[in-house]
Every structure is written in C-alpha cells, then in structure tokens.
Amino acid sequence: MPGGTDQTLRPFLWRAEKMYPDREIVSRTNRGIERYTYTEFADRTAQLANAMTAAGIEEGDRVATFCWNHHRHFETYFGIPTIGAQLHTINPLLPDEHVQYIVENADDQIIFVDPSLLPKLEGAATDAPEFDGVSEYVVMDSEVPDTDLDNVTDYESFIDGHDADFDWPVLSEDQPAGMCYTSGTTGKPKGVEYTQKMLWAHTMMTLTPQGLGIHDTDVVMPVVPMFHVNAWGLPFSTTAAGAKHVYPGPSPSPEDLANLIEEEGVTITAGVPTVWLGLMDYLKNNDADVSSLEQVIIGGSAAPEAMIRYFEDKGIEVLHAWGMTEMSPIGSVAHMKAGLEGLDDAGYMEKRKTQGLMVPGLEFKIVGDDGEEVPWNGEDFGELWIRGPTVTQEYYKRPDANEEDFEDGYLKTGDVVSIDEDGYMKIVDRAKDVIKSGGEWISSVELENTLMAHDDVAEATVIGVPHERWQERPIAFVVPDEGIDEAALKDELLALVKDEYPKWWVPDDVVLIKEVPKTATGKFDKKVLRDQYADASMFEGSTPEDAAPE
Ligand code: ADP
C-alpha cells in the first residue's frame, strides 16, 4: 500500500515552501530576467496542477515539455509528477522524425513549448499522425505567437484563475514520474522511465558530499538543459536543499552565463565541456567577475585536463561527473578521497581527470571480453555493469534492447572503463567508439585529450576508419584556432601523440575541419564523421609497416 512514507518528490517541494519561503528562483526568459520566491513557485505549481487536472490530466498520463531552462519549465518539474502524471522532457534538438517517434511512443497528452521552439515543434507536428494523441499545446509565455497548430494556449492564461492550493495525492514510490529518451546516436531513441523513487533516490545521492554536496546557501545554475536527463537532477536537488535557482533560459551565450554568474552570485554551475570551452574563451577576452563560483560540474563527455586546470587556477573546484540517461543520470563524481591528501600535483590531476568514485547507493563491476570481472589495477579494462535504485531496469516498450542491455539486475552501460586501486573509474571509451587496430584497442578518448591539450586546438575528435589490413585506423579531426600555421600544427599534433603512445596509436592523418558535428546533447557526433569518412585509403599517411601492434 502506498503510504505517507513512500519515497516521492512531494516532500522536497513542501520543505522548500515551508522552510525557505523567501529563497529566490531567477530565470532568464525571452522577456528579460524574471525572479520570484519559493512561496510564489509553490503557488504557481499548485495552480498548474489544478489547470492540468481541469484539462483532464490524470495519474499515469504523460505530459511533455519542449523547453529551455526557465522558471515555467521548473514549475512543470514538480507540477506534473506530484499529481501522479509523468514529466516527459523532449530534446528539441532532435531531428523531426525522432520527435515524432517519441511523442507517439510516450503517448504525450499535453506539450508545453517555448515560444522560440514553437516553429521547430510545428515542423515536427504538422501532418504528423504521431501527434494525434496530443490534445493541447501550452506556450511558455503570456501570449501565443502566430501558429498553425490547433488548441494552443499561453501558459499564464492556462494557470490563471486556478486555485493556489492543491490537494496533492499520496503516491506510490513506484509511480512513474519522469521520462527521457537517450538521444539515439545509433538507431531509434530509447525511452527511460523514472519512478518517484528513482528521482527521490537520485536527489538524496547527489545531495550528499560524495555526490554534489548542495547547501541551502548555494546558488545553483544548471546550464545542462532541462531536456537532458532533468538537468542532471539539479532542479530537484536544489529544491530539496532549499538553495537559490538560476535558470539561464533559451540558447544562453557565454556572455549571458558570465553575467548571470556575476549578477546572481552563482556558486555551483553544471554543463558539458563545450559550454565551458565557450565560457573560458569569453573570460579570457572580457572582464567578468566570476569569483562567486565555487564549483563547476562537468560531465556528459570527458573534461580535458586543460579545462580542469583553468578553473582550479581560479580557485574553482571542478567536479568531473559521469552518468547516463539510464541512471537518472549521475553515477560517479571525481572527489578527492580521504587518504590522498599527500599526492603531488601530477598524482592529484590523475585522480581529478578520472570520472571518479561511484556515488553512495550504487554497485558495479567491470566485465572483460571473457565474461570475467577485471581487477582494479587502473590498467585492465572491460564493460561497466551497474545497478542501484537510480538505475533503470528496462527501456520503455523495447524488448529487443532490454535483452541486450540488462543482465542479472545490472545495466550494461556500453562504457569501457578501468578502475584503479583507489576505486577511481576512468572511461577508456564508449564500446562503439573504441578503435580496433590489428586486434588491439586504441582509446579514442585518450587521443582526443592529448590533441586538445595543444594550445592551438579548439576541438578534436578521433574515429576509427575501416582499413583493409588493420581493420581500423585512427584518423583525427581537429578544429584549429584561427590564423595558425596549419601544416606545422599537424606535425606538432602527431609528434605529441608519438611522445605519449605506442607508434600504432598515431593517427594516419589529422584532418583540419571548421567544426566537429554535434549530437542533440552537444557531444561529438562520430557517426556523422564515420559516414563521411568511410575509408582509410583516402587519408594522407598510410599506416607505416612498423606502426602496427606487435
Ligand atoms: P547519449 O549521449 O547516448 O544521448 P547520455 O546522455 O545518457 O546518452 O550519455 C551517456 C554517456 O555519455 C555515457 O555512457 C558515457 O559514454 C558518456 N559520458 C557521460 N559523462 C562522461 C564523462 N564525464 N566522461 C566521459 N564520458 C562521459
């Protein structure tokens, strides 16, 4: 029987409202900076709950959002799950056919959509039978722009006139509360459902000092989009802590981020490495006071050493975190562990650069090619299998994927990792990105980190290209800074790799490009490059004979 003791999101909202009525929520919207308190937030969330009930939403229904990070989106984070419905955050950067697929797969009833994203949603929804189940669109503003869609209301009218109290139902912790699709860099997107308990557990894990350690004194700005695994759970954990929220709104530029940090006194911010590359560049060329920052959470892909050093030199702690959509999403964080205080700079950086220590509540093992667990020696590697209360047990309506990706209660992550004696996990590669050359493995991640450490390199990625003799050979794709000597750069980069790695790791070519293609979650899209460069024979230096592994 569900009772008042189940693990659900509602008490987090209750606590913030009762104990931190005056803490602020700040939001950059298309109309400028808007701000209010937890008191108003709770009132508006109750109004939203009443409005959705009036619109016919019931327990178990799915309600979608197609939005950037702002206060109205935050209201849906509590308004939808606490009435027993399911918050489905759609990534608006996905191609139309993926949006159509997931709206139908999830059976969304209402879609909340940003004014700036309305044309994109219209494009996907027009003449698409997949949208037949959607009864209403709510635009996140106080007016409705011109649109071809039917049944469109603006958010302020939608909630207006509804009671600011709601008789919140007592929910079971097993009630689905959220939903997110992995971006589907391979094949169709896969849906992951988050129960009340998974989101509750994730909030508690990340609140601990071994997680993200959020205090009520913190000012938290998630730059990671709220459509990407609940902005790593930060809207929930920040509320649970009673901290101040800062939402950077639609497509924030590095300047917008710097201004928000300075004006709102942001102490914790979070996002993928590409966001920080932009901010670092901005801060190098502009005067902005970011001294309030205490922690930058970097995840989604590996944080390069140069980035970690840049922030640490400013006295800002980098929390390098690893996670997955399937895990709600945070799994590990690179904190310095008790007993490691005496490490020298190189030893310290070795730990900081890893994906870190598993947060409390999770268990894992690393399974080698032979099906046996690999030892914790920092050298051997295998696939990471993981289980715990925040880890999904299945994909939504995808028996084919379930068979492959789950075993004995573990999620098989598809990440190839090593673990050192201290328990620090290092991602060697994603299983599908590892380059297999002459029967040996080359880590694309390590090569990328080496290339990106060069001062004149803005971005770099390495893929394996099919090769007649060696199966695959690494080819590097590099975005150089402007105005540099390109030929010299190529030589320097190859020399850098030669210095650090066996000869056969040295890429057969370094191709200079203008931009690395990105996925809908801002990661390097290697699939696009693989499709474009399908043959190693088209590259400059064919593999030297003595460059093959022994
Ligand atoms: P997708 O990128 O497929 O849409 P996710 O957003 O769930 O899906 O990405 C999860 C994957 O991102 C992980 O399995 C891992 O490969 C990669 N990843 C996440 N954080 C890190 C990190 N800090 N370093 C390296 N890789 C990471």
Side-chain angles (χ1 to χ4, degrees), residues 521-538:
T521 53
K523 298 180 190 183
F524 293 164
D525 195 342
K526 299 193 181 187
K527 189 167 164 283
V528 171
L529 289 174
R530 275 194 208 103
D531 290 348
Q532 245 169 319
Y533 300 95
D535 179 4
S537 64
M538 61 207 256

Side-chain angles (χ1 to χ4, degrees), residues 183 228 299-302 320-325 355 415 430 521 523:
S183 61
H228 191 198
S301 39
H320 185 203
W322 165 89
M324 297 178 74
T325 306
Q355 280 68 20
D415 280 341
R430 290 189 98 163
T521 53
K523 298 180 190 183

Side-chain angles (χ1 to χ4, degrees), residues 159-412:
I159 66 168
D160 188 45
H162 286 283
D163 202 356
D165 279 316
F166 189 81
D167 190 13
W168 302 102
V170 174
L171 299 170
S172 155
E173 60 194 19
D174 297 324
Q175 177 79 22
M179 184 168 209
C180 192
Y181 283 73
T182 63
S183 61
T185 36
T186 52
K188 280 187 290 187
K190 292 183 279 193
V192 176
E193 290 195 296
Y194 307 118
T195 61
Q196 291 275 344
K197 181 177 172 177
M198 286 166 78
L199 296 180
W200 186 92
H202 186 266
T203 305
M204 296 309 244
M205 285 179 184
T206 50
L207 277 177
T208 61
Q210 281 78 21
L212 306 177
I214 300 168
H215 297 263
D216 58 2
T217 46
D218 277 316
V219 179
V220 183
M221 179 170 77
V223 182
V224 50
M226 293 170 85
F227 54 73
H228 191 198
V229 216
N230 302 325
W232 301 346
L234 286 166
F236 297 125
S237 50
T238 304
T239 307
K244 172 174 163 181
H245 303 239
V246 176
Y247 291 106
S251 318
S253 66
E255 185 179 2
D256 293 325
L257 297 179
N259 288 343
L260 284 167
I261 294 169
E262 182 165 348
E263 280 154 26
E264 302 302 331
V266 171
T267 60
I268 301 181
T269 183
V272 295
T274 39
V275 165
W276 308 125
L277 284 176
L279 184 68
M280 284 159 59
D281 198 44
Y282 177 81
L283 293 177
K284 277 178 199 154
N285 300 310
N286 295 275
D287 251 350
D289 179 4
V290 294
S291 58
S292 61
L293 267 185
E294 292 168 14
Q295 283 168 336
V296 176
I297 304 162
I298 306 179
S301 39
E305 178 171 340
M307 184 177 286
I308 301 178
R309 285 199 186 274
Y310 173 85
F311 284 113
E312 298 231 328
D313 286 349
K314 287 187 175 308
I316 302 165
E317 187 185 24
V318 168
L319 294 182
H320 185 203
W322 165 89
M324 297 178 74
T325 306
E326 290 83 342
M327 298 179 51
S328 309
I330 290 181
S332 64
V333 183
H335 285 285
M336 292 312 285
K337 195 168 108 159
L340 297 182
E341 295 80 6
L343 285 178
D344 62 5
D345 178 69
Y348 171 85
M349 196 43 72
E350 272 314 305
K351 302 291 186 198
R352 277 283 186 215
K353 266 185 344 193
T354 67
Q355 280 68 20
L357 304 167
M358 262 340 138
V359 296
L362 299 174
E363 280 178 292
F364 67 89
K365 59 182 177 182
I366 305 160
V367 181
D369 266 353
D370 55 3
E372 298 295 322
E373 279 192 51
V374 307
W376 291 28
N377 56 14
E379 303 250 316
D380 292 314
F381 46 81
E383 189 185 22
L384 175 68
W385 292 25
I386 197 154
R387 68 180 177 195
T390 50
V391 183
T392 193
Q393 295 290 305
E394 60 183 2
Y395 291 110
Y396 184 67
K397 292 192 199 158
R398 284 293 295 275
D400 54 324
N402 290 341
E403 200 131 305
E404 260 175 46
D405 294 337
F406 300 90
E407 196 167 320
D408 295 340
Y410 285 92
L411 164 74
K412 300 196 230 169

Side-chain angles (χ1 to χ4, degrees), residues 343-501:
L343 285 178
D344 62 5
D345 178 69
Y348 171 85
M349 196 43 72
E350 272 314 305
K351 302 291 186 198
R352 277 283 186 215
K353 266 185 344 193
T354 67
Q355 280 68 20
L357 304 167
M358 262 340 138
V359 296
L362 299 174
E363 280 178 292
F364 67 89
K365 59 182 177 182
I366 305 160
V367 181
D369 266 353
D370 55 3
E372 298 295 322
E373 279 192 51
V374 307
W376 291 28
N377 56 14
E379 303 250 316
D380 292 314
F381 46 81
E383 189 185 22
L384 175 68
W385 292 25
I386 197 154
R387 68 180 177 195
T390 50
V391 183
T392 193
Q393 295 290 305
E394 60 183 2
Y395 291 110
Y396 184 67
K397 292 192 199 158
R398 284 293 295 275
D400 54 324
N402 290 341
E403 200 131 305
E404 260 175 46
D405 294 337
F406 300 90
E407 196 167 320
D408 295 340
Y410 285 92
L411 164 74
K412 300 196 230 169
T413 64
D415 280 341
V416 178
V417 310
S418 66
I419 302 273
D420 72 11
E421 293 80 357
D422 294 312
Y424 284 83
M425 176 179 89
K426 194 160 142 201
I427 304 265
V428 177
D429 225 326
R430 290 189 98 163
K432 61 181 173 15
D433 293 338
V434 169
I435 300 160
K436 296 190 180 111
S437 187
E440 295 292 331
W441 284 14
I442 299 173
S443 161
S444 66
V445 172
E446 287 202 29
L447 290 179
E448 285 161 6
N449 286 342
T450 302
L451 298 171
M452 281 196 280
H454 191 290
D455 275 347
D456 298 332
V457 169
E459 290 178 338
T461 191
V462 180
I463 60 169
V465 169
H467 188 280
E468 218 172 281
R469 174 151 179 214
W470 304 112
Q471 292 159 272
E472 282 185 337
R473 288 295 304 152
I475 306 290
F477 294 84
V478 168
V479 182
D481 287 339
E482 271 170 33
I484 52 111
D485 175 348
E486 300 194 342
L489 178 66
K490 276 190 179 191
D491 291 342
E492 283 167 26
L493 290 175
L494 292 173
L496 264 182
V497 179
K498 251 182 225 146
D499 271 355
E500 266 188 64
Y501 297 102

